[in-house]
Amino acid sequence: MADCLFCGIAAGDIPATIVSANSRTVAFRDINPQAPVHVLVIPRAHHANVAELGAAGEALLCDLVAHAREVAVAEGIADAGYRIVFNTGPEAGQTVDHVHAHLLGGRPMSWPPG
Ligand code: 5GP
Ligand code: ZN
């Protein structure tokens, strides 16, 4: 999608620190990390948010979560535990309208979030 920041990162047109990538999803480090491990995992295909991606009824949402799990293992946080967050809509703080899983870990996290 034209003028979409994360489509640009997925295409390699906008620089990012790529953690790993495959034909359907891309993982890269958040530019403003909120935890020792803060990786964003996105589908290459443009969907506005996780609800839209889920409603599309594709296996892509499973691919996205599977990729987040792979990154958690590779980053050494899988056993300690981690958080996967999909901010959805403005009141949840979604600022980029291309679905992205925040993979957060490497420190204890409180619940509920502030
Ligand atoms: P949201 O607020 O939409 O849930 O999350 C967007 C995330 O994208 C934020 O955590 C923000 O730090 C990150 N972000 C915004 N612009 C860029 C960028 O150009 N590169 C990278 N790597 N992350 C970005
Ligand atoms: Zn996009």
Side-chain angles (χ1 to χ4, degrees):
M1 191 190 202
D3 298 330
C4 171
L5 174 63
F6 287 177
C7 281
I9 288 175
D13 296 334
I14 294 171
T17 303
I18 304 295
V19 174
S20 56
N22 60 49
S23 62
R24 288 164 69 82
T25 57
V26 180
F28 57 95
R29 298 202 188 278
D30 196 291
I31 204 168
N32 182 23
Q34 302 301 310
V37 175
H38 189 172
V39 173
L40 302 176
V41 189
I42 63 170
R44 291 186 184 276
H46 183 91
H47 295 267
N49 57 49
V50 70
E52 296 295 325
L53 178 57
E58 295 185 43
L60 193 51
L61 179 53
C62 292
D63 294 338
L64 196 65
V65 175
H67 193 164
R69 174 179 178 273
E70 285 175 19
V71 173
V73 170
E75 296 281 321
I77 59 170
D79 290 343
Y82 52 88
R83 189 169 284 171
I84 295 175
V85 175
F86 291 95
N87 293 327
T88 305
E91 208 157 294
Q94 185 176 5
T95 58
V96 180
D97 288 332
H98 178 131
V99 58
H100 47 282
H102 293 261
L103 171 67
L104 295 150
R107 64 166 170 80
M109 289 178 206
S110 61
W111 187 262

